[in-house]
Amino acid sequence: AIFYEVKNTSNEQHTYVFVKGSNNQQSIYKHECNKDFYVSPFIGMNGRYFFTNKLTKDYINIIINLYDNNDKKILMASQSGKFINFTASKLLKYNLLNPLLGFKVMSAILFESVRIVLKGGKYYARKKKPKDTISFEGSF
């Protein structure tokens, strides 16, 4: 299975769970599902996610596209990474080299939200979730 764990700045999360597929030689996995979780106050709840995972022996690339009900792309997010052996020393090294990473991420989110407001972006209010949720996509 593949889990897409989505979090927002309100400390809420939703996990989308997909069957990976039976072909173990496959290097590209594509999934899609309806948006079931409030991520941004500037994006409404109606939409459909398209996830693409590209795997090689050494790297992974994840691309997430969100389309509205009119098939207009409203969000694209991506992340790339290199597979490394997970050790305590490497975790300590990366934390020491990036002590303010959380502050940097939150500052970037706030900066972008100010830009959206100044451009006239629409704000979508919502109710806080009482608990984290999971959606299972596809058949097991």
Side-chain angles (χ1 to χ4, degrees):
I2 294 179
F3 296 71
Y4 299 99
E5 188 175 271
V6 182
K7 297 185 178 194
N8 62 23
T9 55
S10 300
N11 201 30
E12 300 168 336
Q13 86 177 33
H14 180 82
T15 304
Y16 298 94
V17 180
F18 291 88
V19 174
K20 178 180 161 189
S22 59
N23 182 358
N24 291 332
Q25 302 302 317
Q26 189 174 356
S27 62
I28 297 177
Y29 299 97
K30 294 186 177 214
H31 303 104
E32 64 180 87
C33 65
N34 290 326
K35 183 177 187 264
D36 290 331
F37 179 65
Y38 176 90
V39 178
S40 167
F42 302 106
I43 299 175
M45 279 300 295
N46 295 326
R48 189 148 185 87
Y49 284 119
F50 292 84
F51 302 94
T52 304
N53 295 281
K54 298 178 182 177
L55 302 166
T56 68
K57 180 181 160 209
D58 299 317
Y59 291 91
I60 181 170
N61 294 309
I62 302 169
I63 301 166
I64 303 168
N65 291 301
L66 175 63
Y67 289 84
D68 65 13
N69 290 341
N70 298 319
D71 289 328
K72 177 183 173 191
K73 187 187 287 189
I74 55 175
L75 174 77
M76 193 283 282
S78 65
Q79 185 171 4
S80 298
K82 180 180 178 183
F83 291 114
I84 61 170
N85 291 328
F86 186 76
T87 63
S89 61
K90 285 185 182 175
L91 184 61
L92 179 62
K93 174 186 167 186
Y94 290 120
N95 280 315
L96 290 174
L97 291 175
N98 300 295
L100 301 176
L101 184 61
F103 179 74
K104 177 184 174 185
V105 170
M106 289 303 296
S107 298
I109 290 170
L110 290 172
F111 175 77
E112 292 300 325
S113 66
V114 169
R115 285 184 60 202
I116 291 170
V117 168
L118 292 175
K119 289 182 176 182
K122 183 178 178 184
Y123 179 84
Y124 295 90
R126 57 101 174 126
K127 294 180 183 176
K128 187 164 176 65
K129 283 177 45 168
K131 62 180 181 173
D132 295 335
T133 55
I134 297 175
S135 61
F136 297 96
E137 310 293 338
S139 59
F140 287 93

